[in-house]
């Protein structure tokens, strides 16, 4: 047999060697390649207008219509992350997991929702790739099962970040998601048309530099759609189909072989990302703290946040002399209540009041913490400035709003969270977020790796974090008119604030432009010193560049749907 005759036998559209069949015979009437198409097509004749094994985009259009309808009717949360429900895999499945974790009321409901989500995502993905239908289904199912575990981990950590109001969890989870998506997104479209195999698709995807020439422009479009959905939620019914259209365009481009040198394009893209990261980090310079003020009258009380202890916590390191106070007029709050002094630890001044306390004391019932605050401000010299960090914001505000701490003249909110948008039910109780709550209890010990010890069912945790909107209800209570209030927010916390960071007008006199400082270190940075001094001296906060919070609408669609959406 010659090579040419061998190729003729293997060709899909070529008749086998041999004499021509008589006219009208069954062999003559059969179209070339009909047996092969019927064997690999996997569907009955006439089921689709397309040839068997040819991919179609219509399931994506149907999915977009269904998601839009479910959002309009309130079955799905009307939240900016819903534009990702029709995004390139595996971001679409990640969206399903976020919704299921936040909303499923029981393990059974979560399992049923997960099975349905996997079935829908597998079917849609199989319809979008070429090949025999059974092989497509097997490929899509295997793909979804492989990405499921890392996506579930990322979705759960993001849930925990928003439930616990802990940005140190949000940003690593977002980075992990970006890495998983960048690696997995190009894979399905690099499979062989006649026999899709995952191993072959993965190898081809790497050789083609993860198709960054398609993925990066697509990410820009997807981010823009998320920003529009975050800024104008009413546009969501239009933005979901727009997201599906962008996905369809990306699919068509990813199906085509790359032109030029894909590895060179990948290297250039990596270099650009490194340069952008360098610019971002390099532009974060320490602010000028401004001139040191003259000694101020009265005193200052510094309140550390949750999980702190006597002499342990960033606010103990506050340079009080740069704020106009000496150690004789500097006091530190104790979650254990009044006492004769505490271990100094890292505090700038000796701690001569309050009883020693440990992290567990910061999670006592809120009423007991408020009582401890009222007792400790009773005899402090006035005018009294209280600087409350993080969790302490709610304690000080509650006491002052109840009229039980009239000694407070100025309240500085250091890293406040205006709301607690995501809650979780008590252990063993079927309610919204049951599975996410159980996983939170299982994974929270990992917080020890980041020096974050937390009891999900401690009284303060249940009152302030597990109960949605408990924080906003506290800050909605009016303060006495003679109390001046300044709010200083960390830029890294902004994605955890679905309704914005500004508190001015809610008995808050001024909002400082979000500082490019991690939440735990706010009280020890020069920018904090500068803004507090300006406020105490009656000056307005430093002007805020318009781009300071632009990252918020970019990142918020990748979070967990708030409880009230």
């Amino acid at each position: 047999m010659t090579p040419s005759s061998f190729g003729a036998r293997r060709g899909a559209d070529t008749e086998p060697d041999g004499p021509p069949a008589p006219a009208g015979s069954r062999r003559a009437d059969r179209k070339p390649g009909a047996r092969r198409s019927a064997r690999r097509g996997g569907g009955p004749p006439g089921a689709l207008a397309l040839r068997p094994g040819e991919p179609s985009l219509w399931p994506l259009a149907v999915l977009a219509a269904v998601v839009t309808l479910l959002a309009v009717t309130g079955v799905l949360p009307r939240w900016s992350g819903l534009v990702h429900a029709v995004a390139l895999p595996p971001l679409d499945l990640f969206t399903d997991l976020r919704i299921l974790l936040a909303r499923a009321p029981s393990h059974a409901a979560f399992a049923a929702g997960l099975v349905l989500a996997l079935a829908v995502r597998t079917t849609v993905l199989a319809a979008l790739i070429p090949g025999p239908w059974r092989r497509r289904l097997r490929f899509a199912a295997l793909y979804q099962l492989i990405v499921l575990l890392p996506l579930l981990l990322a979705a759960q950590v993001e849930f925990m970040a928003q439930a616990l109001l802990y940005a140190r969890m949000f940003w690593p989870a977002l980075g992990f998601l970006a890495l998983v998506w960048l690696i997995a997104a190009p894979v399905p479209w690099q499979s062989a048309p006649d026999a899709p195999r995952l191993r072959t698709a993965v190898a081809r995807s790497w050789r083609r530099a993860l198709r960054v020439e398609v993925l990066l422009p697509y990410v820009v479009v997807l981010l823009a759609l998320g920003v529009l959905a975050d800024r104008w939620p009413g546009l969501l019914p239009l933005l979901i189909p727009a997201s599906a259209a962008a996905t369809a365009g990306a699919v068509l481009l990813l199906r085509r072989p790359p032109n030029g040198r894909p590895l060179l394009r990948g290297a250039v893209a990596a270099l650009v990302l490194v340069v952008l990261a360098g610019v971002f980090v390099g532009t974060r310079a320490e602010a000028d703290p401004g001139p040191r003020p003259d000694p101020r009258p009265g005193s200052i009380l510094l309140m550390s946040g949750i999980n702190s202890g006597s002499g342990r916590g960033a606010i103990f390191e506050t340079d009080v002399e740069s704020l106009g106070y000496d150690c004789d007029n500097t006091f530190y709050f104790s979650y254990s209540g009044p006492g004769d002094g505490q271990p100094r630890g890292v505090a700038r001044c000796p701690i001569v009041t309050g009883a020693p306390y440990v992290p567990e004391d910061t999670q006592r019932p809120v009423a007991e913490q408020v009582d401890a605050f009222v007792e400790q401000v009773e005899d402090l010299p006035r005018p009294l400035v209280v600087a409350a960090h993080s969790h302490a914001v709610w304690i000080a505000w509650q006491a002052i709003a109840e009229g039980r701490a009239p000694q407070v003249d100025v309240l500085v909110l250091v890293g406040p969270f205006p709301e607690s948008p995501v809650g979780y039910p008590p252990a063993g109780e079927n309610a919204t977020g049951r599975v996410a709550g159980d996983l939170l209890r299982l994974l929270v010990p990992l917080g020890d790796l980041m020096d974050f010890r937390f009891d999900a069912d401690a009284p303060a945790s249940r009152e302030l974090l597990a109960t949605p909107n408990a924080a906003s209800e506290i800050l909605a209570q009016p303060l006495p008119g003679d109390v001046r209030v300044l709010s200083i927010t960390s830029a890294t916390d902004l994605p955890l604030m679905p309704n914005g960071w500004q508190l001015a007008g809610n008995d808050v006199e001024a909002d400082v432009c979000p500082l490019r400082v991690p939440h735990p270190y706010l009280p020890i940075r020069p920018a904090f010193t500068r803004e507090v001094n300006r406020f105490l001296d009656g000056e307005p906060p430093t002007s805020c560049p318009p781009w300071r919070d632009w990252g918020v609408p970019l990142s918020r669609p990748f979070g967990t749907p708030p409880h009230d959406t």
Side-chain angles (χ1 to χ4, degrees):
M1 182 181 294
T2 64
S4 59
S5 64
F6 179 79
R9 287 186 180 272
R10 295 290 298 263
D13 299 317
T14 307
E15 284 284 278
D17 293 339
S25 70
R26 294 178 61 186
R27 180 178 174 187
D29 292 339
R30 182 178 296 156
K31 294 182 180 180
R35 177 178 297 176
R36 181 176 180 180
S37 297
R39 184 173 64 251
R40 293 188 176 180
L48 291 174
L50 300 169
R51 294 193 306 273
E54 183 174 343
S56 174
L57 291 174
W58 67 262
L60 184 59
V62 172
L63 180 64
V66 171
V67 172
T68 303
L69 178 63
L70 295 178
V72 170
T73 56
V75 177
L76 292 177
R78 297 195 65 172
W79 138 80
S80 57
L82 213 54
V83 297
H84 300 154
V86 289
L88 273 179
L91 188 55
D92 53 356
L93 180 60
F94 177 70
T95 304
D96 299 336
L97 293 172
R98 288 182 287 167
I99 295 174
L100 287 171
L101 285 171
R103 298 300 170 86
S106 66
H107 290 276
F110 180 87
L114 181 58
V115 170
L116 177 61
L118 286 172
V120 171
R121 299 303 179 186
T122 298
T123 304
V124 172
L125 178 57
L128 295 175
I129 59 178
W133 181 247
R134 288 184 178 179
R135 292 189 179 184
R136 285 195 271 173
L137 272 179
R138 186 165 60 246
F139 179 99
L142 182 59
Y143 175 87
Q144 302 289 4
L145 291 176
I146 288 175
V147 299
L148 176 61
L149 186 58
L151 293 180
L152 181 61
L153 177 62
Q156 175 63 24
V157 174
E158 287 202 355
F159 175 90
M160 293 171 63
Q162 294 199 239
L164 307 182
L165 300 177
Y166 197 57
R168 282 187 170 185
M169 290 183 174
F170 178 84
W171 293 109
L174 186 58
F176 178 66
L177 169 67
L179 181 63
V180 171
W181 183 84
L182 182 64
I183 294 173
V187 169
W189 327 105
Q190 314 308 310
S191 61
D194 57 340
R197 292 179 180 176
L198 193 58
R199 182 182 301 176
T200 304
V202 170
R204 187 175 294 179
S205 176
W206 279 103
R207 289 197 302 269
R208 294 175 174 181
L210 302 177
R211 299 304 304 273
V212 293
E213 79 281 3
V214 176
L215 292 188
L216 294 186
Y218 173 74
V219 166
V220 172
V221 173
L222 197 64
L223 290 174
L225 293 172
V227 169
L228 292 175
D230 186 76
R231 293 295 192 189
W232 296 283
L235 295 178
L236 195 59
L238 301 177
L239 296 175
I240 293 172
S243 179
T247 301
V251 167
L252 292 176
L253 292 174
L254 288 168
R255 284 177 184 169
R256 302 174 183 173
N259 297 321
R261 300 179 178 178
L263 292 179
L264 178 60
R265 280 199 296 268
V268 171
L271 179 61
V272 170
L273 292 176
V274 169
V275 170
L276 291 176
V279 170
F280 176 78
V281 174
T283 55
R284 189 176 61 186
E286 288 290 1
D288 180 7
R292 177 166 294 193
D294 296 331
R296 299 187 187 278
S299 60
I300 185 170
L301 175 68
L302 302 176
M303 301 179 66
S304 193
I306 201 166
N307 199 40
S308 62
S310 294
R312 285 189 52 205
I315 205 165
F316 287 96
E317 301 178 60
T318 302
D319 184 3
V320 290
E321 293 182 354
S322 295
L323 297 175
Y325 296 95
D326 57 24
C327 287
D328 290 338
N329 293 321
T330 298
F331 302 91
Y332 300 92
F333 173 72
S334 168
Y335 283 93
S336 286
D340 297 327
Q342 311 168 53
R344 181 169 179 173
V346 298
R348 294 292 289 258
C349 297
I351 307 177
V352 296
T353 61
Y357 77 95
V358 294
E360 289 73 17
D361 293 318
T362 66
Q363 300 187 37
R364 296 165 59 196
V366 171
E368 293 182 11
Q369 298 185 37
V370 170
D371 290 341
F373 176 80
V374 170
E375 293 172 333
Q376 291 176 71
V377 300
E378 213 166 30
D379 299 321
L380 298 184
R382 300 185 65 181
L384 173 60
V385 175
V386 173
H389 191 193
S390 192
H391 166 86
V393 165
W394 301 319
I395 305 305
W397 189 293
Q398 179 81 21
I400 297 171
E402 291 176 354
R404 300 178 60 196
Q407 299 84 359
V408 178
D409 299 287
V410 176
L411 177 60
V412 179
L413 311 178
V414 188
F417 286 99
E419 53 195 321
S420 47
V422 176
Y424 54 91
E429 179 178 310
N430 279 342
T432 300
R434 166 69 191 272
V435 174
D438 289 346
L439 288 175
L440 183 151
R441 294 178 180 88
L442 181 66
L443 296 176
V444 85
L446 297 178
D448 287 345
L449 300 176
M450 295 179 284
D451 195 28
F452 183 72
R453 292 189 296 276
F454 181 79
D455 182 354
D457 293 306
S461 303
R462 293 231 50 86
E463 291 181 66
L464 295 172
L465 300 176
T467 305
N469 302 320
S472 54
E473 291 176 2
I474 290 177
L475 298 185
Q477 299 177 68
L479 298 182
D482 57 347
V483 179
R484 300 184 64 207
V485 184
L486 173 69
S487 175
I488 303 177
T489 302
S490 167
T492 61
D493 292 337
L494 297 182
L496 307 182
M497 304 175 186
N499 292 309
W501 56 275
Q502 293 178 314
L503 293 172
N506 187 27
D507 292 316
V508 175
E509 184 176 329
D511 285 300
V512 169
C513 180
L515 304 182
R516 293 181 63 183
V517 175
H519 175 93
Y521 307 130
L522 276 173
I524 59 175
R525 289 294 190 261
F528 170 83
T529 301
R530 178 194 62 204
E531 297 300 337
V532 172
N533 280 328
R534 290 178 66 89
F535 184 75
L536 295 178
D537 292 336
E539 300 177 14
T542 305
S543 60
C544 192
W547 57 83
R548 179 57 58 86
D549 60 355
W550 282 4
V552 179
L554 290 172
S555 58
R556 208 152 43 195
F558 293 91
T560 300
H563 187 270
D564 57 359
T565 55

